[in-house]
Amino acid sequence: MLVLLPPSEGKTAGTRGAPVDLGRLSLPALRPAREAVLAELVELCAADAEKARGVLGLSAGQAGEVARNAALESAPARPAGELYTGVLYDALGLGSLDPAARRRAARSLLIFSGLWGAVRITDRIPAYRLSGGVKLPGLGPLAAFWRGPLSGALAEAAGTGPVLDLRSAAYAAMGKPAGEAARRTVAVRVLHATVVDGVERRSVVSHFNKATKGRLLRDLLTAGPLPRTAAALPGALRALGYTVETPAPTRLDVVVREL
């Protein structure tokens, strides 16, 4: 099974060690696109910090993020599974998985990124700031830029198994499995159910959406072998105690009543 994840704005920067080696990252077909985005981001942030803040959507208090981006080519890198923090990754708790679950995570998880396209949790990358929704002056909107390079890479990574899409809209816009793989792709939505005047109402949640997706993925990884078909996913989650509905073959709703 392939699991598609968003990145997080929160990152734990490395303090020492070698910089990123683009030649050693997973999905090597993405290297030319990675080089192009990295070069423009570094040049933008090194040449004009004020302009860079505007392009990246950062506040004056986040000027340090611009300086960090300017030094990306020499900054210490660390495994992506240790780099990303935030609600989803805190709930997932990669560092505390047992060895078998950790191996499943290394084989199955693919983290999307405005800078790198997509990486495995074992890929060593530096801390950076570049949302998938950014429009760079030269390359244009990153979501559109990455669709072409990622189309082939996703098809190869998906193999013949199911694809569980846990990404936010900004990163789903970077590309989705196409063709036959699209029929094996299931996108997850988290809904909060409340009862008002005896009537159940449901709403999409944000913060707890991320936490639920992180817990859900952790439970799947620790339960044993991952589901081998998209049709098996709802049953696997129900067996783990989740309330699951399937409004469409390619969509799965997880209903939570307590946040």
Side-chain angles (χ1 to χ4, degrees):
M1 184 168 78
L2 180 68
V3 182
L4 311 182
L5 293 175
S8 63
E9 288 190 359
K11 300 174 184 71
T12 302
T15 56
R16 59 182 181 178
V20 62
D21 181 347
L22 296 180
R24 301 190 67 175
L25 297 183
S26 302
L27 310 180
L30 298 181
R31 180 169 181 172
R34 288 167 173 157
E35 290 175 340
V37 179
L38 179 61
E40 180 167 354
L41 180 63
V42 169
E43 181 179 359
L44 170 69
C45 292
D48 189 334
E50 190 67 20
K51 179 180 178 180
R53 283 201 302 107
V55 169
L56 301 177
L58 302 177
S59 67
Q62 294 173 305
E65 300 283 358
V66 176
R68 175 183 287 178
N69 280 350
L72 278 173
E73 293 171 312
S74 59
R78 65 187 308 172
E82 300 174 10
L83 177 79
Y84 293 106
T85 59
V87 176
L88 187 153
Y89 290 92
D90 286 346
L92 173 55
L94 285 169
S96 61
L97 290 175
D98 64 70
R102 180 79 180 191
R103 287 192 294 272
R104 292 184 196 106
R107 291 193 300 267
S108 301
L109 306 191
L110 199 60
I111 303 172
F112 279 64
S113 161
L115 176 53
W116 313 111
V119 293
R120 300 284 189 181
I121 64 171
T122 51
D123 285 326
R124 297 181 69 259
I125 54 176
Y128 65 95
R129 188 62 175 263
L130 183 65
S131 166
V134 164
K135 178 180 180 180
L136 289 176
L139 296 176
L142 288 173
F145 171 82
W146 279 112
R147 278 185 211 124
L150 280 168
S151 60
L154 272 179
E156 182 178 349
T160 59
V163 180
L164 182 62
D165 193 345
L166 302 180
R167 295 174 297 170
S168 56
Y171 292 95
M174 290 172 61
K176 300 179 181 181
E180 193 274 332
R183 294 188 286 276
R184 295 184 273 111
T185 301
V186 179
V188 173
R189 181 174 64 167
V190 179
L191 300 177
H192 181 213
T194 56
V195 177
V196 180
D197 296 330
V199 178
E200 183 176 89
R201 303 182 185 276
R202 294 180 177 180
S203 60
V204 178
V205 294
S206 55
H207 177 91
F208 292 99
N209 162 62
K210 297 175 183 177
T212 299
K213 287 179 178 178
R215 289 193 296 267
L216 174 154
L217 180 54
R218 182 182 178 89
D219 288 344
L220 280 173
L221 290 168
T222 56
L226 295 171
R228 300 184 68 175
T229 66
L233 271 167
L237 290 173
R238 290 183 184 116
L240 292 169
Y242 291 91
T243 299
V244 173
E245 297 177 356
T246 53
T250 58
R251 200 178 90 201
L252 187 152
D253 289 345
V254 176
V255 183
V256 295
R257 290 177 169 79
E258 294 183 3
L259 296 179

